[in-house]
Amino acid sequence: MPVAMAPMGQGAPGAMPSGYGATPSPVPELPVRQPDRGARWPAAAPVPAGPMPQNTVTVTSATVPSPLPQGPPTVPQPQTLTRAFSVKSGFFRVHWTVDGRKLRGNEKQTVSPPFELSFGHKFPSVTFKMMIYPEMVNEGKGGSCFRKSKGRGYVQIKCEAELEESVAWVSFRISIGSGSKTVGPRGPRYHNFSQSAVTGLEEGPTKDEHIWDFTEVLDEASQTFVVCLEIVPGGKGPS
């Protein structure tokens, strides 16, 4: 005997349930706020000491996903480099993670991976590198290596392009370490890369201000340390 089926929804016989097969409403875009990475220092005035705040991105959503299982902490990898740019303040911040084992070796320098800075429409992508040299202990053979300097040395910045004098000015400062082990920043300094392709903190108010003890900021777990360069390209130089 046929069995009468109860209707599944409203509407004419054979009609699909309401909403079935309809085009879904577009998902609204999530608002993203990009706060400033830090305050811009004056063109020729000293910068207040202390670390600058890190940039954050805040994403607001109506639904909060379940937290993912926590894995082991990420170990910093040597010879990696990150670069960030602040639209509001106009400076670049470059973090270079250095292999700390070099501090115990006979190397006479260590060089960062290349990174790019913009010097306006005419020079939109200029390649730079950072270099670390050991403090010279003596002028004899092998007198300038990280092992003999006991991990002390200095940082220099090298421009790989030829820039016009009118756009080649930069102001910069340097710090080392991260977190509670941060030392610096020191600076700012001003330099025109049309006059010399290499610069550093040597022209400071004190004789040895450009010398760092990299062993003080060495991360024992990863055997790495961080060098941070904050640089404003295309400035007018000191007034």
Side-chain angles (χ1 to χ4, degrees):
M1 176 182 293
V3 179
M5 302 297 291
M8 295 181 64
Q10 301 297 327
M16 300 300 291
S18 176
Y20 185 85
T23 302
S25 301
V27 179
E29 294 185 0
L30 300 180
V32 178
R33 180 171 61 87
Q34 186 87 5
D36 182 30
R37 301 182 190 277
R40 182 177 183 177
W41 56 80
V47 181
M52 305 190 74
Q54 298 294 319
N55 181 69
T56 58
V57 177
T58 302
V59 179
T60 305
S61 174
T63 304
V64 179
S66 301
L68 296 175
Q70 296 295 323
T74 303
V75 178
Q77 297 299 310
Q79 281 304 98
T80 57
L81 186 144
T82 61
R83 188 195 66 169
F85 176 71
S86 171
V87 175
K88 185 175 181 180
S89 62
F91 68 79
F92 290 89
R93 180 184 288 116
V94 183
H95 288 94
W96 172 25
T97 302
V98 188
D99 187 350
R101 294 173 297 181
K102 292 182 179 291
L103 300 178
R104 302 188 295 269
N106 294 322
E107 287 90 346
K108 295 184 177 181
Q109 71 169 353
T110 181
V111 181
S112 77
F115 58 94
E116 282 70 42
L117 299 177
S118 174
F119 283 75
H121 298 294
K122 195 169 183 180
F123 301 95
S125 183
V126 180
T127 301
F128 284 80
K129 292 180 181 179
M130 283 187 280
M131 304 171 292
I132 300 177
Y133 293 93
E135 181 182 29
M136 180 172 289
V137 178
N138 59 66
E139 297 182 358
K141 184 177 180 180
S144 180
C145 69
F146 290 108
R147 180 177 58 83
K148 288 194 174 182
S149 71
K150 298 181 179 179
R152 290 169 56 86
Y154 55 96
V155 180
Q156 291 196 322
I157 311 161
K158 182 180 181 182
C159 177
E160 300 284 347
E162 293 185 5
L163 299 177
E164 296 177 358
E165 183 177 2
S166 59
V167 299
W169 279 107
V170 298
S171 58
F172 67 94
R173 61 183 189 177
I174 297 174
S175 60
I176 64 171
S178 58
S180 61
K181 286 189 173 182
T182 301
V183 178
R186 298 175 186 172
R189 297 289 184 275
Y190 300 90
H191 181 72
N192 191 301
F193 280 107
S194 69
Q195 301 171 3
S196 174
V198 178
T199 187
L201 295 173
E202 288 82 356
E203 300 298 328
T206 59
K207 179 182 177 181
D208 294 328
E209 188 184 21
H210 65 294
I211 299 295
W212 305 89
D213 186 349
F214 298 109
T215 63
E216 290 183 353
V217 298
L218 182 69
D219 180 76
E220 295 294 341
S222 62
Q223 287 296 295
T224 62
F225 63 92
V226 174
V227 174
C228 176
L229 168 67
E230 294 172 304
I231 183 167
V232 181
K236 295 182 180 179
S239 57

